[in-house]
């Protein structure tokens, strides 16, 4: 896929969505540690939590390194003053050369505020309008009705349920996954097109 590099920083009405810095490992650890009961049923990586702070530092170093190399684009979701981690998201390249997959999680205590919907709408616009993707996918566990509600609100179409496709690290075997999809020529007719977004590159130049 020949695409423009995703923004380093995205601002919405209530959020800053940006690439991680390793120095933010304590904020990330705090958000994850307090949210484990909420995250473990749905996030395979949460089965290996809690992890020591030094492990989180190395994780964020890898996230930032792969972002800078144009390989993978993992973002933190922050409050507007950037003092608290609200959750995480990303534009993942694992679904094809002309596409991104968006994933997301929100910390305990900040759910039911529409923050994942707001961040996902912004990333959808970025994927199409800045990066030039042809399609964006969102994949969720069929039982995760809250997570599945987000692409439905944003105008994505449910394409399929793929059996035994979602890897799981607790030994229970792969889970089914529901695939939602949106194509570039469908963006204008969705609520995503209406969300307020400002996006900036690595030197602060505005892209959107």
């Amino acid at each position: 896929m020949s695409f423009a590099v995703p923004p380093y920083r995205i601002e919405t009405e209530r959020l800053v969505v940006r690439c991680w810095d390793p120095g933010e490992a304590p904020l990330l650890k705090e958000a994850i540690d307090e949210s484990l009961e909420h995250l473990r049923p749905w996030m395979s990586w949460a089965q290996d939590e809690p992890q020591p702070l030094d492990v989180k530092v190395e994780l964020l170093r890898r996230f930032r390194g792969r972002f800078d190399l144009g390989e993978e684009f993992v973002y933190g979701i922050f409050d507007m003053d950037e003092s608290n981690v609200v959750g995480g998201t990303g534009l993942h390249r694992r679904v094809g050369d002309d596409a991104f997959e968006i994933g997301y999680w929100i910390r305990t205590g900040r759910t039911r505020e529409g923050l994942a919907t707001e961040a996902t709408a912004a990333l959808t616009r970025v994927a199409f309008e800045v990066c030039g993707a042809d399609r964006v996918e969102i994949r969720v566990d069929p039982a995760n009705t809250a997570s599945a509600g987000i692409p439905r609100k944003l105008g994505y179409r449910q394409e399929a349920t793929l059996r035994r496709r979602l890897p799981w690290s607790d030994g229970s075997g792969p889970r089914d996954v529901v695939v939602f999809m949106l194509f570039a020529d469908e963006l204008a007719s969705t609520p995503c097109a209406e969300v307020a977004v400002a996006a900036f590159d690595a030197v602060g130049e505005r892209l959107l």
Side-chain angles (χ1 to χ4, degrees):
M1 175 182 177
S2 178
F3 59 79
V5 175
Y8 274 64
R9 180 184 180 90
I10 302 163
E11 297 176 2
T12 68
E13 182 180 356
R14 297 179 292 171
L15 301 170
V16 172
V17 180
R18 59 171 173 80
C19 62
W20 290 100
D21 182 276
E24 290 155 355
L27 294 177
L28 174 61
K29 178 172 171 56
E30 177 188 45
I32 290 175
D33 287 357
E34 77 172 37
S35 305
L36 286 179
E37 184 177 352
H38 165 63
L39 294 172
R40 278 180 175 146
W42 314 119
M43 300 294 176
S44 180
W45 53 262
Q47 313 307 310
D48 300 323
E49 299 285 352
Q51 293 180 330
L53 182 59
D54 63 326
V55 175
K56 284 286 173 281
V57 172
E58 290 304 309
L59 175 68
L60 294 190
R61 288 182 65 192
R62 290 195 299 273
F63 283 167
R64 181 57 183 258
R66 297 193 70 193
F67 199 112
D68 289 339
L69 291 171
E71 297 174 349
E72 187 81 344
F73 308 99
V74 179
Y75 293 98
I77 306 174
F78 298 82
D79 283 325
M80 286 302 294
D81 65 5
E82 302 179 55
S83 62
N84 292 296
V85 171
V86 174
T89 187
L91 290 171
H92 306 291
R93 299 186 61 189
R94 55 196 174 213
V95 291
D97 292 338
D98 58 350
F100 289 111
E101 179 187 345
I102 295 176
Y104 42 79
W105 63 273
I106 298 294
R107 73 187 295 169
T108 296
R110 300 304 304 272
T111 59
R112 301 182 184 278
E113 297 180 30
L115 300 179
T117 301
E118 187 172 318
T120 301
L123 281 188
T124 300
R125 281 196 61 188
V126 163
F128 291 130
E129 297 181 31
V130 176
C131 303
D134 178 59
R135 76 179 192 279
V136 176
E137 295 186 15
I138 295 174
R139 298 186 173 210
V140 301
D141 187 309
N144 192 346
T145 55
S147 186
I150 292 170
R152 291 190 175 105
K153 290 177 189 174
L154 295 178
Y156 282 70
R157 296 185 184 181
Q158 182 173 332
E159 293 279 315
T161 298
L162 305 179
R163 296 183 296 162
R164 302 178 186 176
R165 297 295 183 88
L166 192 64
W168 212 252
S169 62
D170 66 354
S172 62
R175 298 186 178 187
D176 295 351
V177 62
V178 180
V179 180
F180 296 88
M181 196 173 302
L182 188 69
F183 285 92
D185 59 3
E186 298 169 335
L187 174 65
S189 64
T190 72
C192 297
E194 304 301 322
V195 68
V197 180
F200 306 87
D201 66 14
V203 296
E205 292 291 329
R206 185 162 182 172
L207 303 172
L208 181 66

